[in-house]
Amino acid sequence: MGLNVTLLLISSNIYNNVQAPSSRGFSYIEVWILGSQLPILFALLEYALILFQMKYLRLDSDFRLLDCIAAILITLYYFSFNLYFWVF
């Protein structure tokens, strides 16, 4: 969890330091950084969902299936994002 929060803070700090003219829309670096932040946010939401289930729904089951599904979704997203960003 600490690694996810650290990655999100570093990524948002890099995004805030990007110097881009305000007269135009998103630049390519801004699209790249925002696209790279989505898997980090997804991992934080997954962790929040697991904590919610454990605390309020009293589910103490094994969350390995949820982790595998999330890992596959994040991998597919990041692969397709990179493919679209660098090829098209």
Side-chain angles (χ1 to χ4, degrees), residues 49-51 53-55 57-67:
L49 176 69
I50 289 173
L51 288 179
Q53 288 178 352
M54 290 177 69
K55 182 170 183 168
L57 301 179
R58 303 283 186 218
L59 295 176
D60 291 331
S61 63
D62 193 15
F63 294 105
R64 289 183 188 165
L65 179 63
L66 181 64
D67 283 338

Side-chain angles (χ1 to χ4, degrees), residues 8-56:
L8 185 63
L9 289 174
I10 290 170
S11 181
S12 62
N13 189 22
I14 291 171
Y15 176 72
N16 288 333
N17 288 330
V18 169
Q19 300 295 327
S22 59
S23 63
R24 62 183 171 92
F26 283 121
S27 66
Y28 289 119
I29 190 68
E30 292 170 338
V31 171
W32 170 258
I33 290 174
L34 289 175
S36 297
Q37 283 180 345
L38 285 177
I40 299 169
L41 291 172
F42 182 74
L44 288 172
L45 289 175
E46 177 196 1
Y47 187 69
L49 176 69
I50 289 173
L51 288 179
F52 177 80
Q53 288 178 352
M54 290 177 69
K55 182 170 183 168
Y56 295 110

